Amino acid sequence: MFSVFRDLIRYNIEFTIGVVLVGVIVAFSLLSFASPVDPTAIYTTIPDMPPSAEFWFGTNSRGQDLFWQLTFAFRNTLFFGLTVAVLSRIISITVGLTAGYLGGWTDRTLMFFNDIFVAIPIFPILILFYFVLRNNLDMMKLALIMACFGWPFDARLIRSVALGLKHREFTRHAVFAGMSPARIMYEEHLPYVMPIVFSTAMANMIWSIGLEVTLAVLGFTNINVPTVGTALYWANNHSAMVVGVWWWIVIPVVLIVMTFLGLFLLAVSMNEYIDPRSRLRRMGA
Amino acid sequence: MSAPPLLDVRDVSKVFTMGGVLSRKQIRAVNEVSFALSTETPEIFTIIGESGSGKTTLARMIFGSDVPTSGELKFEGRDIAARRGADRLAFMARVQPIFQNPFEAFNPLKRVDRYLASTARRFLNARTEAEMEGPMDEALHHVGLSLKEVKGRFPHELSGGQLQRTAIARALISQPSVIVADEPVSMVDASLRMAIVNLFKRLRDELGVTIIYITHDLATAYYISDRIIIMQKGHVVEMGPARPILEAPQHPYSQLLKRSVLSFDDAGRGLITRSGREEVDTSAEALVKGRLEPAEDGRLVRVG
Amino acid sequence: MADDILTVEGLKAYYQMNYFGVEREVRAVDDVTMRVMANEIYGIAGESSSGKTSFIKVLAAAIRPPFRIVDGRVTYRFNGKPIDVAHAGEDEIAKIRWKHLSYIMQGSMSVLNPVRRVRSTFEDFAFRPMGLKRDAFWEAVEAHLARLHLEPGVLRAYPHELSGGMRQRVTIALATVCRPEFIIADEPTTALDVVVQKDVLAMIREVQQALGSSVVFVTHDMSVHANVTDRLAIVYAGRIVEEAPTRTIFTAARHPYTRHLVASLPRIGDTSPKPSLEGRPPSLAEPPAGCRFHPRCPIAVERCRREVPVLEERPGGHRVACFRADEALPAEKILNVEEPLS
């Protein structure tokens, strides 16, 4: 495993850039555990200070040190994105592989529900949940709700791959080697869909983080939890750009763009490495 | 009344329905095929046909992957299609398939020995590593390999011939009485092909396994078969003892097939001529009207 | 030699790769020298990974990295003008392609465009090389189809409306419509049924006779070679091990590998046990030292492990690369019939 990592760093420039970008953001968010300030407290320092040696990222109009504030914001946002991605991957893999491999009646039922979830408009539903749950809507609940909506497209994609795999000779061979459907799905077919799982996980994180930012900026989440979205909400609320506190908006946006770019590069380069067929093809085997 | 035959195929037909609600088209892939394999004398029973002859569909019905539209397929007196769950597993232990492309029969991302281990675990109830490895090694020895050569290898590390032999060893673990081999040598290199074909002979003679060999190659069929059936568009046109039929086929279609086999008598003279397919009535009507009638050497020939 | 249409001298073509720090060199074509004369069908027989596919990539001047020509010359002589496709520029090769040098491939679908009628494929491939006016061109195409016993109606069909055998016949018509001097046929009948195979082979032979072209015919199937080719080269692990008139290969082969291939062919009417060869074809990335066949050879001696046998010329246009080509082989050695199961 370590040698794979070392080879990727050495021979794949996309991977190296991705590791650096994501590494910087993750390290940054981990600093929150060493934070000297409470992220929910306000007016703990002088407001509206530009970036300087004392306040690296400046301070905002609510008297918070943006550097420490954003470490919490990124920790929460990354954790949120990861939770949604993992949960929705579990659902889409299960649904996609089962529908594709078992086919028939199971397939029709699962795809019926799949299509319903595709058709439901997610944004109004999320706002509805906000009004119902109000301050009970913490990050975990929001992640759960979004995971329930983030799987259907990818489940269809996985199903189409599984449909193809079902008719391959090795699947029939596995059946006659006495393997159960569950084993065939998880041991024979799952490796084939892993590249899809990785690249869709990436797209899913971008989708869920983006949606969280949108909701938060509009004020439809718990605005007391620091996230990238709520940071922008408060900046907007205090008309940061108008009053010249540009760093309050520019810095989080730059950091979130770095996050997306890094995750994207990682997904692309790892994708190629995970799939031994493309690797073998390149080796001419 | 003696014991039921090993495999009893009686008037088996398979009809596929294609298309949607408005343009439904029925394709008769297999049409009223009957034959029986006996328990006492293991044999190599060959099904010959071109693509579209229904030979693969017939094979799939024999190992229970497809259900016949009409007719009966009985294994040791019991209907194959009716066996479910643990009963189906017990049937699978007795009738094992071998597939066409050895490179496709193993998942390229997985080690090949996992198929052998799974077979030993599920069909022999082997629990420990040692309990599994004994039968695995024994089966591999039957095909001229050993567990040492195969263990931990990925499919791309083995040759086509080795993979096909591993697939055969895998099928042998559960000690089946029938192996259904669908075009098992068409994807294997020339120098390794006869190794597989000779292996089938040895499995029949020394382990008493009956082999249903499905092929389009008349030369290897002649070399190993005891009995053959020749199929055309889902119909049996000629069946019976292999060598008399292949030496002197009687049905016009069998004769066409025999004529099309490339001979070596005029090697290098460039004398190849066309098959003369046009002169043979290969229409479906002629087949449907015809009936199988007994002829010399104990064969059955379709006459119209 | 005025009669040669293709001369290959000392050709070495390797795949050279460097991926994730692993360097690999696959010697797919290693020191091949051969000639193809005008008006003959030259067969190349070899198993998978024998390098035969790579060799015809060179002949077809379709070399793409990581595949490279390391050494040697591949010279065609069209209208008396030599062209070395191993070193010629892309535009020079484009000039001879299809007009002088064409191909028949295994999958007809790779040539015929599935969403267009056959007619437009003919136009794409042949109109420019033929250099005729539109009416004269279609007249020539239809005359050519008639010569091959094909209905002009196939031009209006889409590829999927034709049967596999018919599609392959159309590709042959397409490959020969410009009356090329040289045709490369790569496993043209492998995917076909026996009856159709015979018709397609007969058609290739007929069209070759009619045009007087040369054909390089590549297949692993010895029975096809027996019926179609005039001369035959046996390729093993990137090298030609034996080359002779096809009849000689089937009646008086000298290389143990060839003898095994011929001896193991099943024939209707012949009930004698057929031998099988142990071992596997070597990897071209790490070929064995000396003669590449020695690990599987029933008559290998110490010398075979150390030295590479050269392809030596013998009487009757017969070339063999084996130190023991003149040894009388004991039948039971080459007919290495397997012992019964223990």
Side-chain angles (χ1 to χ4, degrees):
Chain A
M1 194 60 216
F2 176 73
S3 66
V4 168
F5 189 76
R6 191 194 55 207
D7 280 355
L8 274 166
I9 291 271
R10 196 177 298 168
Y11 300 106
N12 197 318
I13 184 73
E14 291 97 331
F15 184 79
T16 316
I17 299 173
V19 165
V20 170
L21 287 176
V22 173
V24 164
I25 298 294
V26 169
F28 176 66
S29 67
L30 289 179
L31 284 178
S32 61
F33 290 105
S35 168
V37 299
D38 174 5
T40 52
I42 53 171
Y43 298 110
T44 55
T45 180
I46 316 153
D48 293 341
M49 295 296 288
S52 64
E54 194 188 349
F55 306 108
W56 289 4
F57 288 177
T59 64
N60 64 19
S61 308
R62 306 175 79 213
Q64 293 166 318
D65 184 336
L66 259 187
F67 182 86
W68 296 114
Q69 194 64 24
L70 285 176
T71 59
F72 283 103
F74 272 87
R75 184 173 99 194
N76 286 334
T77 295
L78 285 180
F79 180 75
F80 170 78
L82 210 61
T83 313
V84 176
V86 168
L87 291 177
S88 64
R89 282 332 72 189
I90 291 173
I91 304 174
S92 59
I93 290 170
T94 312
V95 171
L97 288 180
T98 314
Y101 180 68
L102 294 181
W105 177 85
T106 319
D107 181 30
R108 281 195 294 277
T109 312
L110 284 172
M111 284 304 110
F112 175 74
F113 284 107
N114 189 87
D115 293 344
I116 287 178
F117 273 95
V118 169
I120 288 176
I122 175 157
F123 204 72
I125 299 258
L126 287 172
I127 292 173
L128 184 72
F129 270 107
Y130 167 72
F131 282 120
V132 173
L133 295 173
R134 285 282 170 172
N135 285 346
N136 288 327
L137 185 68
D138 57 19
M139 291 307 277
M140 202 58 208
K141 287 205 186 79
L142 188 65
L144 266 173
I145 295 163
M146 295 208 25
C148 288
F149 286 91
W151 60 271
F153 284 105
D154 305 332
R156 256 206 188 276
L157 205 60
I158 290 168
R159 170 181 169 270
S160 67
V161 175
L163 271 179
L165 291 171
K166 182 188 177 178
H167 295 288
R168 296 275 294 268
E169 272 185 5
F170 69 77
T171 306
R172 293 201 276 145
H173 194 186
V175 171
F176 279 89
M179 293 186 203
S180 63
R183 258 193 88 183
I184 291 174
M185 281 188 262
Y186 284 98
E187 290 180 20
E188 301 280 318
H189 292 174
L190 189 58
Y192 277 87
V193 301
M194 277 326 273
I196 297 182
V197 169
F198 270 84
S199 51
T200 56
M202 196 34 246
N204 188 269
M205 277 181 85
I206 291 179
W207 170 79
S208 62
I209 293 176
L211 208 52
E212 189 272 330
V213 170
T214 314
L215 281 173
V217 167
L218 296 173
F220 289 128
T221 60
N222 187 342
I223 48 173
N224 295 320
V225 180
T227 68
V228 177
T230 51
L232 293 173
Y233 168 82
W234 287 115
N236 185 40
N237 220 14
H238 288 254
S239 308
M241 281 314 241
V242 182
V243 298
V245 191
W246 53 266
W247 52 91
W248 198 359
I249 292 197
V250 170
I251 289 174
V253 168
V254 167
L255 288 177
I256 198 76
V257 167
M258 276 171 65
T259 317
F260 280 16
L261 202 62
L263 285 171
F264 173 73
L265 290 174
L266 274 189
V268 168
S269 53
M270 277 164 64
N271 214 345
E272 191 183 335
Y273 202 85
I274 282 166
D275 184 0
R277 284 158 302 158
S278 67
R279 199 161 78 230
L280 287 172
R281 249 198 308 280
R282 282 230 203 165
M283 302 280 284
Chain B
M1 189 76 194
S2 61
L6 186 63
L7 180 71
D8 191 10
V9 178
R10 194 164 298 167
D11 296 328
V12 163
S13 300
K14 177 77 187 177
V15 180
F16 290 108
T17 309
M18 310 276 277
V21 187
L22 293 175
S23 58
R24 230 159 240 265
K25 213 169 88 187
Q26 292 207 322
I27 294 169
R28 298 190 79 83
V30 174
N31 205 52
E32 292 179 3
V33 174
S34 301
F35 64 87
L37 304 178
S38 96
T39 317
E40 292 86 42
T41 45
E43 62 177 323
I44 297 178
F45 186 85
T46 300
I47 302 171
I48 292 180
E50 298 187 276
S51 56
S53 64
K55 59 186 195 298
T56 299
T57 310
L58 182 57
R60 286 176 57 80
M61 288 192 285
I62 292 171
F63 57 69
S65 292
D66 260 339
V67 180
T69 314
S70 65
E72 277 186 327
L73 276 141
K74 284 186 172 171
F75 181 76
E76 292 175 333
R78 298 179 55 202
D79 191 6
I80 293 172
R83 301 180 78 158
R84 294 260 171 272
D87 199 24
R88 163 110 182 109
L89 211 61
F91 166 75
M92 272 164 43
R94 309 272 288 129
V95 178
Q96 278 281 341
I98 290 164
F99 299 105
Q100 178 174 12
N101 187 343
F103 293 99
E104 260 287 293
F106 292 92
N107 189 336
L109 310 178
K110 296 282 179 173
R111 293 171 212 280
V112 295
D113 52 331
R114 64 186 247 97
Y115 291 87
L116 293 119
S118 167
T119 310
R121 192 167 51 237
R122 294 280 282 173
F123 295 123
L124 302 180
N125 281 320
R127 291 277 164 266
T128 62
E129 187 97 333
E131 267 176 41
M132 277 189 264
E133 287 189 349
M136 283 161 71
D137 198 39
E138 194 192 326
L140 284 163
H141 272 294
H142 286 314
V143 301
L145 292 168
S146 68
L147 189 56
K148 265 214 319 267
E149 290 171 77
V150 169
K151 197 165 186 191
R153 299 293 199 92
F154 282 98
H156 65 84
E157 296 174 305
L158 300 171
S159 74
Q162 281 172 312
L163 280 177
Q164 195 60 301
R165 283 193 286 172
T166 309
I168 294 169
R170 211 271 319 139
L172 287 174
I173 287 177
S174 62
Q175 299 178 329
S177 45
V178 177
I179 284 182
V180 183
D182 189 356
E183 300 264 10
V185 292
S186 63
M187 306 295 244
V188 176
D189 277 325
S191 70
L192 305 165
R193 184 169 301 168
M194 290 319 282
I196 307 279
V197 172
N198 286 331
L199 178 60
F200 285 145
K201 272 187 159 178
R202 288 159 63 206
L203 296 182
R204 174 196 61 189
D205 297 341
E206 287 155 39
L207 299 178
V209 179
T210 287
I211 288 156
I212 298 178
Y213 175 56
I214 294 157
T215 187
H216 62 265
D217 178 14
L218 274 67
T220 54
Y222 180 86
Y223 178 63
I224 62 167
S225 312
D226 298 300
R227 286 195 294 157
I228 59 166
I229 63 178
I230 299 177
M231 290 184 71
Q232 183 199 0
K233 294 181 181 157
H235 298 257
V236 175
V237 296
E238 194 160 350
M239 65 185 284
R243 285 185 175 158
I245 290 184
L246 289 171
E247 277 160 15
Q250 287 187 354
H251 190 272
Y253 179 73
S254 323
Q255 289 168 345
L256 172 68
L257 281 182
K258 164 94 191 276
R259 262 206 313 283
S260 304
V261 175
L262 299 170
S263 87
F264 299 95
D265 302 338
D266 288 314
R269 297 197 206 279
L271 296 176
I272 189 163
T273 52
R274 289 177 186 246
S275 62
R277 159 159 262 173
E278 302 73 28
E279 291 133 44
V280 179
D281 183 8
T282 52
S283 66
E285 294 81 51
L287 284 167
V288 174
K289 274 190 293 180
R291 274 197 345 273
L292 281 172
E293 298 277 356
E296 68 217 46
D297 306 313
R299 70 178 87 175
L300 294 170
V301 183
R302 185 168 289 269
V303 289
Chain C
M1 280 265 200
D3 260 339
D4 291 355
I5 188 150
L6 167 69
T7 321
V8 178
E9 289 163 283
L11 178 70
K12 290 183 181 171
Y14 301 164
Y15 291 88
Q16 289 169 329
M17 282 153 291
N18 182 334
Y19 189 59
F20 283 126
V22 186
E23 267 187 55
R24 245 177 91 130
E25 185 175 71
V26 175
R27 300 178 173 200
V29 181
D30 209 359
D31 205 4
V32 166
T33 298
M34 50 83 87
R35 308 197 305 265
V36 178
M37 288 175 283
N39 196 11
E40 73 165 346
I41 299 189
Y42 183 92
I44 296 177
E47 307 180 80
S48 57
S49 76
S50 63
K52 62 182 195 303
T53 309
S54 307
F55 182 50
I56 55 172
K57 268 190 198 162
V58 178
L59 294 190
I63 302 142
R64 307 269 173 281
F67 191 41
R68 283 184 195 87
I69 291 183
V70 176
D71 195 16
R73 278 201 296 274
V74 180
T75 317
Y76 284 99
R77 194 174 285 274
F78 296 126
N79 301 330
K81 219 176 85 200
I83 171 170
D84 180 359
V85 293
H87 300 99
E90 198 49 54
D91 50 331
E92 276 178 89
I93 291 167
K95 269 185 218 147
I96 60 162
R97 210 166 252 160
W98 223 260
K99 188 165 173 53
H100 298 288
L101 172 66
S102 74
Y103 341 90
I104 306 169
M105 271 163 278
Q106 182 175 2
S108 46
M109 280 318 227
S110 55
V111 185
L112 300 176
N113 185 335
V115 296
R116 302 179 69 194
R117 292 180 201 274
V118 170
R119 196 186 165 82
S120 21
T121 308
F122 267 86
E123 201 170 318
D124 294 346
F125 274 86
F127 184 66
R128 248 175 358 131
M130 293 216 358
L132 292 172
K133 287 250 169 55
R134 205 154 282 271
D135 290 346
F137 169 72
W138 288 115
E139 229 167 78
V141 168
E142 282 181 20
H144 183 67
L145 290 177
R147 184 162 48 223
L148 300 178
H149 308 288
L150 286 167
E151 299 284 326
V154 296
L155 289 174
R156 285 192 302 276
Y158 284 100
H160 66 86
E161 295 171 334
L162 304 169
S163 68
M166 188 56 84
R167 275 203 295 269
Q168 196 58 309
R169 284 187 234 185
V170 168
T171 20
I172 292 167
L174 181 65
T176 51
V177 66
C178 302
R179 310 181 72 95
E181 288 99 320
F182 199 91
I183 302 160
I184 297 165
D186 181 9
E187 304 259 10
T189 59
T190 302
L192 301 177
D193 278 324
V194 269
V195 179
V196 183
Q197 163 171 288
K198 192 170 189 208
D199 288 341
V200 169
L201 291 175
M203 180 179 177
I204 291 175
R205 185 79 207 181
E206 282 164 26
V207 70
Q208 182 266 333
Q209 302 268 296
L211 301 179
S213 321
S214 301
V215 177
V216 162
F217 198 108
V218 181
T219 176
H220 65 279
D221 188 337
M222 291 298 280
S223 63
V224 170
H225 282 300
N227 285 275
V228 175
T229 60
D230 298 305
R231 288 197 300 139
L232 182 55
I234 310 291
V235 180
Y236 187 82
R239 293 212 172 108
I240 295 181
V241 294
E242 185 157 16
E243 181 202 61
T246 305
R247 182 125 197 107
T248 310
I249 293 279
F250 282 92
T251 54
R254 301 307 315 173
H255 196 280
Y257 177 62
T258 318
R259 291 200 219 182
H260 165 78
L261 282 183
V262 174
S264 69
L265 291 167
R267 305 165 196 219
I268 293 180
D270 174 5
T271 56
S272 63
K274 298 293 173 193
S276 53
L277 197 56
E278 284 309 305
R280 60 181 293 192
S283 151
L284 291 168
E286 300 151 80
C291 173
R292 290 184 180 176
F293 185 60
H294 85 252
R296 301 171 77 190
C297 182
I299 53 163
V301 290
E302 188 48 40
R303 190 178 175 202
C304 306
R305 284 178 250 282
R306 286 181 282 108
E307 280 176 61
V308 180
V310 288
L311 198 58
E312 261 177 75
E313 189 91 39
R314 303 162 67 88
H318 192 166
R319 294 194 296 160
V320 188
C322 180
F323 296 123
R324 310 199 68 200
D326 290 314
E327 314 270 318
L329 290 181
E332 70 276 7
K333 271 213 159 165
I334 195 80
L335 290 170
N336 152 39
V337 180
E338 283 177 52
E339 294 138 40
L341 292 173
S342 47

